[in-house]
Each structure stands twice: as C-alpha cells, then as structure tokens.
Amino acid sequence: MDQRKRRKELSQEIRKKIIDKHVKGKGYKTISKQLDVPLTTVAHIIQKFKIHGTVANLPGRGRRRKIDDKSKRRIIRMVTKEPRKTSKEIQGELQAQAASVSDRTIRRCLSQSGLHGRRPRRTPLLKTNHKKARLEFAKLHVEKPQRFWENILWTDETKIELFAKAHQLYVHRRKNEAYQERNTVLSVKHGRGSVMFWCCFAASGTGCIESVQGTMKSQDYQGILERNVLASVRKLGLSRRSWVLQQDNDPKHTAKNTQEWLRGKHWTILKWPSMIPDLNPIEHLWKELKHAIWKRHPSNLRQLEQFAHEEWAKIPAEKCRSLIDSYRNRLIAVIASKGCATKY
C-alpha cells in the first residue's frame, strides 16, 4: 500500500505546500514528515522549483507521437469520405506515402477524434420514391395537434420466435463456462418455431392482442379487426367521433376486399406511406415485448402465446404515453434527413 502511494503522482496542491514550507525555512526532513511525502520527492520538487520556477509538469515528456497533426487530418478525411475503410487499408495508403504507422495507432487516433468503430445500423432499403413519400408525410403531419396523435389506434403484426436469436442476448460468464446450460441458447434441429401476433396501442395504453393461426390472409385480417379494433377503442377511451386507425401497407391490408370491408365500417384510416417503420411507435413496444417473453424462457408455443398476452398487458401506460408525446420529434427527424432513415 505504501509503495503504491509513493508511485502515485503528487497533486499540484501538495507540491505547492512543499514549496510554501521550504520558503518558510522548513527543512527537507520536516516537510517530508509533515506531508507524508518521501524525502527524495521533496528534494526533487524543491530542486525543480529552483531551476524552472514552477512545480507543474513540464512539456515534452514521454515518447514523441507517431502521427503528427497533418497525418491525423489525412486519416480523418479518409474515414469521413469512406466510413467503411478499415485501419489496415488506411495503413496501406499511409505506407504508400512513406508514413509507417501501425493499424492499432490508427484506430487509437480515430477513437481520440470521436470516430469509433461501430457495427452499421440496419435500416430499410429506401428508394427515391420512398424518401419522397416519407418526406411528404412528415411535412403534411408535423403541425398536427397533439390531440390528433392521441386519438390514433396504432396497429401492426410481428412474429416472435420460441428461442431468441443468439445475437440478441448476452451472458456474463467466465472463460471456461461457455457451455454451462445457464450460459447457452437453446436451438432446435428443424426450425425454431414461432407465433405471429397482431397488437394495437394508443397514447392511453396497450389494446387487444391476438395470435394468428397459420398463414394470415385478408379474410383473417378482417376478422382480427372485427374482434379487436372497436373493443380497443372503448378500452383505451379514444374519441368515438375522431379516432383514427393506423395500419401499414402489407398486402393483406391493401387487398381490394379488405379496402371494401373497411369502407363499409366507415372508419377513418391514416394514409400511410410504404417503408416507414421508424414512424410507427409500436416497433418500440415489439422490442420490449420480445425481450420480456425471452426472459421467461418459454419451452413451447403455448407458453410463448401465454407469456405474450401477459407481458403485453404489463407494458405501462406511461411508456405508451411517452412514445406518443414525442411523436412530433420523429416527423422533424424525417424532415431533417430529407426522407432518409432516422434513429427511431
């Protein structure tokens, strides 16, 4: 412990105290004893003060940097222009210009400049017409009052697998514990097994949830809406006169017979562009639902379905409210990105 204390660099405050006591006529041994600082350190601090007039660390300490400011700017320009360029590729280009730098030094230089290596985020493949439609939707709705968004019933379908994918889970384990049962992810030989769910929510909370048996066709979708939409509208306290149904452009939703069925219901449908998942806040609830189910480790599809209903009901209304209260920020982000993908 004493050895560790002696090796620790003295603070500026202690150094100044050493000089103050020396100026007042205190001897080296007295200063060392009073401040609990090694005698040799006291002598070194006083000698440094006599020569340089300061107790601060002097410039020029340590090994000279391998990358000068010019090379650093060149490296930053390379990755700014091509973010996928690797440190090995940068090293090769620098060597071609007679600059010998290791790839590790290049990575450290980039990290110190705030350019950290990260996995690229997955975003939808947006064509020009998609970006244009997204931008038009955002501009058309960005000034809508908050009450409008609070009266929307957001809907969507998702598939939940029985066994979570390995890259979606993490375990903290020791080096030799990789194959202990608690540190592994179960897998099956002939497919994972999954259940499709339809859910809805609004600013006031989660609505109905229903599992889909087999392949969903347009008639099945109409049946789900018949059983769950108005029940959810009543449960969530949406305005019967001004509530709006949101649905995406899945073929089952846009099928001719589904559109005729919806017209017969006289419901107001929010016109929804294609390729716009980041503007549907239910996506955030899907992620929360899936992780909650996987934490309970369902062993069969019946359990998975049971857990899904239970965990969907547990999602707090405050969570739903916060997603809708901040909805305008999503529209602003789409406008700022000119229709491109956003962080949402």
Side-chain angles (χ1 to χ4, degrees):
M1 192 73 180
D2 293 337
Q3 185 179 7
R4 197 177 299 171
K5 184 183 290 186
R6 286 197 299 271
R7 289 180 178 178
K8 186 176 180 181
E9 185 175 295
L10 290 181
S11 67
Q12 292 293 320
E13 183 181 359
I14 296 296
R15 296 181 193 188
K16 289 178 181 178
K17 285 182 179 180
I18 291 173
I19 300 302
D20 289 342
K21 291 181 181 293
H22 174 68
V23 171
K24 291 177 182 178
K26 300 287 184 181
Y28 287 15
K29 290 184 178 180
T30 304
I31 297 173
S32 172
K33 188 174 182 180
Q34 289 180 351
L35 298 179
D36 191 23
V37 177
L39 182 61
T40 54
T41 303
V42 172
H44 176 75
I45 294 295
I46 294 173
Q47 185 69 14
K48 181 179 181 180
F49 181 77
K50 288 178 179 179
I51 297 173
H52 300 285
T54 180
V55 293
N57 292 334
L58 299 176
R61 301 172 70 197
R63 193 181 69 173
R64 187 177 177 183
R65 298 177 68 88
K66 291 282 289 183
I67 300 179
D68 58 19
D69 291 340
K70 185 178 179 180
S71 298
K72 184 177 180 180
R73 290 194 297 270
R74 185 187 305 163
I75 292 171
I76 292 173
R77 281 198 302 270
M78 286 181 188
V79 295
T80 301
K81 186 177 179 180
E82 299 180 54
R84 297 177 190 272
K85 188 181 287 291
T86 67
S87 57
K88 286 285 187 183
E89 291 171 340
I90 296 173
Q91 182 188 27
E93 292 190 24
L94 292 177
Q95 286 178 344
Q97 300 169 5
S100 178
V101 182
S102 70
D103 60 322
R104 183 177 179 182
T105 300
I106 292 170
R107 289 195 298 272
R108 184 167 58 248
C109 170
L110 291 172
S111 180
Q112 291 171 351
S113 303
L115 295 166
H116 306 287
R118 297 288 186 266
R119 290 183 179 180
R121 299 295 174 89
R122 293 184 178 275
T123 58
L125 176 61
L126 299 175
K127 298 180 181 178
T128 303
N129 60 315
H130 295 144
K131 296 176 184 178
K132 182 180 178 181
R134 288 163 55 87
L135 188 58
E136 288 176 353
F137 178 88
K139 289 181 175 179
L140 182 64
H141 293 87
V142 71
E143 298 301 333
K144 288 282 187 181
Q146 185 62 25
R147 184 63 182 166
F148 173 79
W149 304 111
E150 292 173 354
N151 268 312
I152 291 180
L153 185 70
W154 304 89
T155 71
D156 200 9
E157 300 93 31
T158 192
K159 182 172 70 172
I160 302 180
E161 295 181 343
L162 180 59
F163 301 113
K165 294 179 181 177
H167 70 267
Q168 292 175 313
L169 295 176
Y170 297 90
V171 294
H172 298 281
R173 60 170 177 80
R174 300 186 187 280
K175 187 176 180 179
N176 59 347
E177 296 177 349
Y179 288 95
Q180 289 186 7
E181 188 172 342
R182 61 196 178 96
N183 295 329
T184 60
V185 175
L186 298 177
S187 62
V188 290
K189 190 173 182 180
H190 302 291
R192 292 175 174 270
S194 61
V195 178
M196 178 76 75
F197 292 93
W198 177 95
C199 297
C200 64
F201 92 103
S204 51
T206 54
C208 297
I209 176 172
E210 182 171 326
S211 59
V212 179
Q213 305 301 325
T215 303
M216 184 193 291
K217 299 180 181 178
S218 57
Q219 291 84 359
D220 303 318
Y221 179 66
Q222 294 164 27
I224 288 174
L225 297 183
E226 181 72 52
R227 291 186 293 273
N228 297 286
V229 167
L230 291 181
S232 297
V233 169
R234 289 191 293 268
K235 173 189 174 184
L236 299 172
L238 302 185
S239 172
R240 293 192 177 185
R241 292 185 177 182
S242 59
W243 74 274
V244 178
L245 176 68
Q246 180 276 334
Q247 60 175 10
D248 60 26
N249 290 313
D250 187 281
K252 300 179 290 294
H253 307 170
T254 58
K256 185 176 180 180
N257 60 350
T258 299
Q259 292 299 308
E260 291 177 356
W261 183 87
L262 287 170
R263 281 193 289 271
K265 289 294 183 181
H266 303 291
W267 294 343
T268 303
I269 310 297
L270 181 63
K271 189 175 180 181
W272 197 252
S274 299
M275 304 298 289
I276 199 166
D278 50 345
L279 286 184
N280 191 348
I282 203 171
E283 297 290 340
H284 289 261
L285 299 186
W286 286 143
K287 184 177 180 180
E288 191 167 317
L289 176 65
K290 290 175 181 180
H291 281 284
I293 293 171
W294 288 332
K295 282 181 180 179
R296 297 178 64 177
H297 306 293
S299 58
N300 53 59
L301 295 180
R302 182 177 297 179
Q303 270 194 349
L304 188 151
E305 188 173 340
Q306 175 191 337
F307 293 166
H309 281 80
E310 293 172 359
E311 296 300 331
W312 183 252
K314 289 180 185 177
I315 294 177
E318 294 78 14
K319 175 71 175 179
C320 301
R321 168 63 63 178
S322 67
L323 289 173
I324 304 305
D325 284 348
S326 61
Y327 191 78
R328 188 170 182 270
N329 295 338
R330 297 171 184 260
L331 301 173
I332 294 173
V334 171
I335 295 172
S337 67
K338 298 181 180 180
C340 294
T342 68
K343 67 178 183 178
Y344 297 99

